[in-house]
Amino acid sequence: MHDPRVLLDPATDAVRRLARRGYALDAASLEKLLAQRNAAIHRGDEARAESKRTATSVRTASPDERPALVERARELKTVVADADVEGRALDAQLQDLLLGIPNLPADDVPDGSSDDDAELIRTWPSSSPPEPVTVDFTARDHVELGERLGILDLPRATKLSGPRFAVLRGRGAKLERALARYFLDVAEENGYTEFSVPTLVNRETMTGTGQLPKFEQDLFKTGVADHELFLIPTAEVPLTNLHARETLAVDDLPLAYTAHTPCFRSEAGSYGRDTRGLIRMHEFSKVELVRIVEASTSRQELELLVTHAEAVLRGLGLAYRVVKLAAGDMGFSAQATYDVEVWLPGQQRYREIASASDCSTFQARRAGIRTRASDGTRGFAATLNSSGMPIGRTLVALLEQGQQADGSVRIPPALVPYTGFEALEPA
RNA sequence: GGAAGCGUGGCAGAGCGGCCGAAUGCACUCGCCUUGAAAGCGAGAGCCCUUAACCGGGUCGGGGGUUCGAAUCCCUCCGCUUCCGCCA
């Protein structure tokens, strides 16, 4: 959420910057609303001040003066009440407006609104398409591989829950567990503290990281009686909100947190896209990385964060590239985002596997994650998050990049200590 | 789910409906003292809103009510504790 005064400051250039991501800011109505709200608050405060003075004087007033004072106090009560009601209503309007405004794209973020507009940052290994994984036979995709290997059962998942769910079997299930453990271990080596967190969270928590109020249709929601809870779409939500409404000492920053959780996404509006395989699921498992940092360091922290995401792919020997997303293609809360895209031989193209975002102080303002410097200066933290990898999409890459002509799949050496096997063989 | 109790500043812990933003202790900051430190003495200090700033307002779990006036009385919600039931 934005500070309305900063947003309206001409130096911020908010209208132009928001237009870059396709959001039309009505600065005039915002300014008017803000002024009206402040006027109402001021009016209430003035009346309240007089009311307090009057009430105090009642006690010491002479019996003659007292009735007039009590009468005046009664009048003021309604003035205060009216101003409060108006101020609260206007403030609610202001909050609604502000909660719906996305973060300002950083100036170095490229123009555009699609993934075609992203800026290529680097490719690993440096050749592209990646030489080492360009197979000299017709590459199978992960669905065919997974079924032939007996580790993936999509029809039965559909029977249980519907489309966009997966069942992993045998070494497939074991591979999922191995990947999660490997990711968590790498995260720990990079300084992240592991958490186990709830995957059902309340409305306030979802609002803190920006999923609500605007994107409720993307979330699964539970409701028992009037007890409303949302299933997290990513562990970014609980991890970032751990420090909601807290003040953190700047000396304790940066905080680096990780968690392995299931993630739930309604995928509303993606009908017909990625219907095959494990790419786009209603439920998937992911290790997430979150950093809570001093605000002025957020961009350099993003550079660090994306290398942490890359680290696991390099460790697994999976070819990928990093792109900087265009202004109009970023998530609601981000001011800058790097996507990590892994090479999928089965599709002969790079597909998003991880997304590392710098949310500046945008989420921290919503969630109330404040900082205090040693000299007492107060401010808001910056929050960043990255996948540190999703298990399913990594499995896809592992199968497709690791496949051999005979349909078997090599397990990367780094993962063997976790799996206990070096290859997947057709059943 | 049933019963009882409790929610006050960073922590602990007082608080007759008005003199309470709130005693006291610890912790904290700045002085004095000291070669230095500790102790001692003195002063100060929370957070939020509004404001260019000053002023002003709010804040004793949240919300509502009674009253000229609420930390203090009433209602309600939330959270915590203990006991019972149920349960991974």
Side-chain angles (χ1 to χ4, degrees):
Chain A
M1 184 163 61
H2 297 286
D3 178 343
R5 285 173 301 188
V6 171
L7 211 54
L8 290 170
D9 186 340
T12 305
D13 203 9
V15 172
R16 181 191 63 80
R17 292 171 70 191
L18 285 169
R20 286 221 301 146
R21 67 185 304 161
Y23 184 90
L25 177 67
D26 184 350
S29 358
L30 175 62
E31 188 160 18
K32 187 177 164 200
L33 186 56
L34 179 66
Q36 286 175 335
R37 179 195 70 144
N38 290 349
I41 289 174
H42 189 67
R43 194 146 34 84
D45 283 354
E46 292 293 307
R48 210 188 319 273
E50 188 184 345
S51 170
K52 277 178 87 164
R53 284 194 300 272
T54 309
T56 310
S57 61
V58 165
R59 193 159 166 266
T60 52
S62 71
D64 292 346
E65 302 169 319
R66 189 167 294 203
L69 287 172
V70 170
E71 182 53 34
R72 176 59 181 155
R74 284 213 173 93
E75 289 169 20
L76 284 168
K77 231 165 95 164
T78 65
V79 177
V80 170
D82 290 350
D84 278 357
V85 167
E86 190 186 340
R88 225 171 300 170
L90 289 166
D91 189 60
Q93 278 183 47
L94 181 66
Q95 295 304 316
D96 282 352
L97 181 58
L98 289 172
L99 284 172
I101 302 173
N103 203 354
L104 299 168
D107 285 337
D108 62 292
V109 165
D111 282 324
S113 61
S114 82
D115 50 1
D116 296 332
D117 301 312
E119 174 189 340
L120 179 62
I121 301 298
R122 59 181 163 269
T123 302
W124 186 91
S126 53
S127 57
S128 181
E131 297 288 350
V133 290
T134 305
V135 292
D136 55 3
F137 51 90
T138 304
R140 298 180 167 97
D141 85 343
H142 70 278
V143 178
E144 186 181 350
L145 287 164
E147 285 171 351
R148 287 167 58 98
L149 293 166
I151 63 170
L152 176 64
D153 190 341
L154 292 170
R156 287 200 174 96
T158 303
K159 178 169 71 179
L160 292 174
S161 306
R164 298 203 190 284
F165 288 89
V167 166
L168 295 175
R169 175 178 182 277
R171 288 189 165 183
K174 195 163 184 182
L175 205 44
E176 166 158 12
R177 179 154 53 93
L179 282 168
R181 290 215 297 134
Y182 172 68
F183 294 159
L184 288 168
D185 283 353
V186 172
E188 187 176 8
E189 283 166 23
N190 286 323
Y192 291 79
T193 303
E194 182 179 348
F195 282 78
S196 174
V197 290
T199 48
L200 284 167
V201 301
N202 59 32
R203 178 169 286 273
E204 192 178 7
T205 299
M206 280 295 183
T207 305
T209 27
Q211 283 73 24
L212 291 179
K214 215 170 179 176
F215 305 103
E216 185 158 350
Q217 75 282 358
D218 294 337
L219 302 171
F220 283 106
K221 182 165 81 167
T222 65
V224 178
D226 56 351
H227 193 187
E228 174 192 70
L229 289 171
F230 297 88
L231 283 79
I232 59 169
T234 160
E236 164 200 343
V237 173
L239 287 178
T240 304
N241 279 288
L242 280 173
H243 293 293
R245 295 177 304 287
E246 292 182 13
T247 299
L248 306 170
V250 167
D251 292 346
D252 293 339
L253 303 181
L255 300 176
Y257 293 165
T258 186
H260 171 222
T261 69
C263 302
F264 304 90
R265 301 185 179 182
S266 77
E267 295 298 342
S270 62
Y271 301 111
R273 279 168 53 200
D274 302 313
T275 51
R276 181 175 166 82
L278 294 174
I279 297 290
R280 194 176 297 277
M281 300 279 103
H282 284 313
E283 175 179 354
F284 63 99
S285 167
K286 177 161 65 73
V287 169
E288 181 75 1
L289 308 174
V290 162
R291 300 182 71 81
I292 299 178
V293 310
E294 206 273 305
S296 63
T297 66
S298 76
R299 285 309 299 277
Q300 67 204 57
E301 285 281 346
L302 179 62
E303 300 302 319
L304 182 65
L305 176 61
V306 72
T307 65
H308 294 156
E310 291 172 68
V312 291
L313 294 184
R314 293 189 186 206
L316 296 175
L318 293 174
Y320 68 91
R321 68 180 185 182
V322 178
V323 301
K324 189 193 282 183
L325 289 190
D329 199 26
M330 293 191 300
F332 183 74
S333 298
Q335 72 161 346
T337 295
Y338 288 119
D339 266 10
V340 180
E341 300 180 330
V342 73
W343 176 251
L344 295 188
Q347 298 187 8
Q348 284 296 301
R349 66 181 187 117
Y350 289 97
R351 284 302 307 257
E352 177 194 343
I353 188 166
S355 195
S357 293
D358 168 12
C359 298
S360 61
T361 59
F362 186 83
Q363 292 178 327
R365 285 180 183 281
R366 292 176 159 244
I369 306 170
R370 298 169 185 278
T371 59
R372 178 167 35 227
S374 49
D375 67 359
T377 309
R378 304 180 60 81
F380 287 99
T383 59
L384 301 93
N385 62 78
S386 173
S387 334
M389 293 290 152
I391 311 297
R393 287 191 183 183
T394 305
L395 183 57
V396 170
L398 220 55
L399 292 178
E400 294 196 7
Q401 289 198 26
Q403 66 181 300
Q404 309 297 303
D406 63 0
S408 68
V409 171
R410 281 182 296 109
I411 301 299
L415 207 55
V416 172
Y418 295 90
T419 58
F421 51 83
E422 296 179 0
L424 300 167
E425 310 287 350

